[in-house]
Coordinates of all heavy atoms in Angstrom, one line a residue:
M1 N -58.9 50.0 140.6 CA -58.5 51.4 140.2 C -59.7 52.3 140.0 O -59.6 53.5 140.4 CB -57.6 51.3 139.0 CG -56.3 50.6 139.2 SD -55.2 51.5 140.4 CE -54.8 52.9 139.5
A2 N -60.7 51.8 139.4 CA -61.9 52.7 139.1 C -62.6 53.1 140.4 O -62.9 54.2 140.6 CB -62.9 51.9 138.2
I3 N -62.7 52.1 141.3 CA -63.3 52.4 142.6 C -62.4 53.4 143.4 O -62.9 54.4 144.0 CB -63.5 51.2 143.4 CG1 -64.6 50.3 142.8 CG2 -63.9 51.5 144.9 CD1 -64.8 48.9 143.3
G4 N -61.1 53.2 143.4 CA -60.2 54.1 144.1 C -60.2 55.5 143.5 O -60.2 56.5 144.2
F5 N -60.3 55.6 142.1 CA -60.4 56.9 141.5 C -61.7 57.6 141.8 O -61.7 58.8 142.0 CB -60.3 56.7 139.9 CG -60.3 58.0 139.2 CD1 -59.2 58.8 139.2 CD2 -61.4 58.4 138.4 CE1 -59.2 60.0 138.5 CE2 -61.4 59.5 137.7 CZ -60.3 60.4 137.8
G6 N -62.8 56.8 141.9 CA -64.1 57.4 142.4 C -64.0 58.0 143.7 O -64.5 59.1 144.0
F7 N -63.3 57.3 144.7 CA -63.2 57.9 146.0 C -62.3 59.1 146.0 O -62.5 60.0 146.8 CB -62.6 56.8 147.0 CG -63.7 55.9 147.5 CD1 -63.6 54.5 147.1 CD2 -64.7 56.3 148.3 CE1 -64.6 53.6 147.6 CE2 -65.6 55.5 148.8 CZ -65.6 54.1 148.4
L8 N -61.2 59.1 145.2 CA -60.3 60.3 145.1 C -61.1 61.5 144.6 O -61.0 62.6 145.1 CB -59.2 59.9 144.1 CG -58.2 61.1 143.8 CD1 -57.5 61.5 145.1 CD2 -57.2 60.7 142.8
V9 N -61.9 61.3 143.5 CA -62.7 62.4 143.0 C -63.7 62.9 144.0 O -63.8 64.1 144.2 CB -63.4 62.0 141.7 CG1 -64.4 63.0 141.3 CG2 -62.4 61.8 140.6
R10 N -64.3 62.0 144.8 CA -65.2 62.4 145.8 C -64.5 63.2 146.9 O -65.1 64.2 147.4 CB -65.9 61.1 146.4 CG -66.9 61.3 147.4 CD -67.6 60.0 147.8 NE -68.5 60.2 148.9 CZ -68.3 59.8 150.2 NH1 -67.2 59.1 150.4 NH2 -69.1 60.0 151.1
A11 N -63.3 62.7 147.3 CA -62.6 63.5 148.3 C -62.2 64.9 147.9 O -62.3 65.8 148.6 CB -61.4 62.7 148.7
I12 N -61.8 65.0 146.6 CA -61.4 66.3 146.1 C -62.6 67.2 146.0 O -62.6 68.4 146.4 CB -60.8 66.1 144.7 CG1 -59.4 65.5 144.8 CG2 -60.7 67.5 144.0 CD1 -58.8 65.1 143.4
I13 N -63.8 66.7 145.6 CA -65.0 67.5 145.5 C -65.4 68.0 146.9 O -65.8 69.1 147.1 CB -66.1 66.8 144.8 CG1 -65.7 66.7 143.3 CG2 -67.4 67.5 144.9 CD1 -66.6 65.8 142.5
R14 N -65.4 67.0 147.9 CA -65.8 67.4 149.2 C -64.9 68.3 149.9 O -65.3 69.0 150.8 CB -65.9 66.1 150.0 CG -67.1 65.2 149.6 CD -67.3 64.0 150.5 NE -67.7 64.5 151.8 CZ -68.2 63.8 152.7 NH1 -68.4 62.5 152.5 NH2 -68.6 64.3 153.9
S15 N -63.6 68.4 149.5 CA -62.7 69.3 150.2 C -62.7 70.7 149.6 O -62.1 71.6 150.2 CB -61.2 68.7 150.1 OG -60.8 68.8 148.7
Q16 N -63.5 70.9 148.6 CA -63.6 72.2 148.0 C -64.6 73.1 148.9 O -65.6 72.6 149.3 CB -64.2 72.2 146.6 CG -63.3 71.4 145.7 CD -61.9 72.0 145.5 OE1 -61.8 73.2 145.3 NE2 -60.9 71.2 145.7
G17 N -64.2 74.3 149.1 CA -65.0 75.2 149.9 C -64.8 74.9 151.4 O -63.9 74.3 151.9
G18 N -65.8 75.4 152.2 CA -65.7 75.2 153.6 C -64.7 76.1 154.3 O -64.4 77.2 153.8
A19 N -64.2 75.7 155.4 CA -63.3 76.5 156.2 C -62.0 76.7 155.6 O -61.3 77.8 155.7 CB -63.1 75.9 157.6
Q20 N -61.6 75.8 154.8 CA -60.3 75.9 154.1 C -60.3 76.8 152.9 O -59.2 77.2 152.4 CB -59.8 74.5 153.7 CG -59.5 73.6 154.8 CD -58.3 74.0 155.6 OE1 -57.5 74.8 155.1 NE2 -58.2 73.5 156.8
R21 N -61.5 77.1 152.4 CA -61.5 77.9 151.1 C -60.9 79.2 151.2 O -60.1 79.6 150.3 CB -63.0 78.0 150.7 CG -63.1 78.7 149.4 CD -64.5 78.8 148.9 NE -64.5 79.3 147.5 CZ -65.3 78.9 146.6 NH1 -66.2 78.0 146.8 NH2 -65.3 79.5 145.4
A22 N -61.1 80.0 152.3 CA -60.5 81.3 152.5 C -59.0 81.2 152.5 O -58.3 82.0 151.9 CB -61.0 82.0 153.7
K23 N -58.5 80.2 153.2 CA -57.0 80.0 153.3 C -56.4 79.7 152.0 O -55.4 80.2 151.6 CB -56.7 79.0 154.4 CG -55.2 78.8 154.6 CD -54.9 78.1 155.9 CE -55.3 76.7 155.9 NZ -54.8 75.9 157.0
E24 N -57.1 78.8 151.2 CA -56.6 78.4 149.9 C -56.7 79.6 148.9 O -55.8 79.8 148.1 CB -57.4 77.2 149.4 CG -57.2 75.9 150.1 CD -58.1 74.8 149.7 OE1 -59.0 75.1 148.9 OE2 -58.0 73.7 150.3
D25 N -57.8 80.3 149.0 CA -57.9 81.5 148.1 C -56.8 82.5 148.4 O -56.2 83.2 147.5 CB -59.3 82.1 148.3 CG -60.4 81.3 147.6 OD1 -60.0 80.4 146.8 OD2 -61.5 81.6 147.9
A26 N -56.5 82.7 149.7 CA -55.5 83.7 150.1 C -54.1 83.2 149.6 O -53.3 84.1 149.1 CB -55.5 83.9 151.6
A27 N -53.8 82.0 149.7 CA -52.5 81.4 149.2 C -52.4 81.6 147.7 O -51.4 82.0 147.2 CB -52.4 80.0 149.6
A28 N -53.5 81.3 147.0 CA -53.5 81.5 145.5 C -53.3 82.9 145.1 O -52.6 83.2 144.2 CB -54.8 80.9 145.0
E29 N -54.0 83.8 145.8 CA -53.8 85.3 145.5 C -52.4 85.7 145.8 O -51.8 86.5 145.1 CB -54.8 86.1 146.4 CG -56.3 85.9 146.0 CD -56.6 86.5 144.6 OE1 -55.9 87.5 144.2 OE2 -57.4 85.9 143.9
A30 N -51.8 85.2 146.9 CA -50.4 85.6 147.2 C -49.5 85.1 146.1 O -48.6 85.8 145.7 CB -50.0 85.1 148.6

């Protein structure tokens, strides 16, 4: 479970920003 949680946190951190950031920000603003 600890190893899986580490991979989950890593995936969440890596998915922040990038090409998806503008789309996510626009959805949050809407």
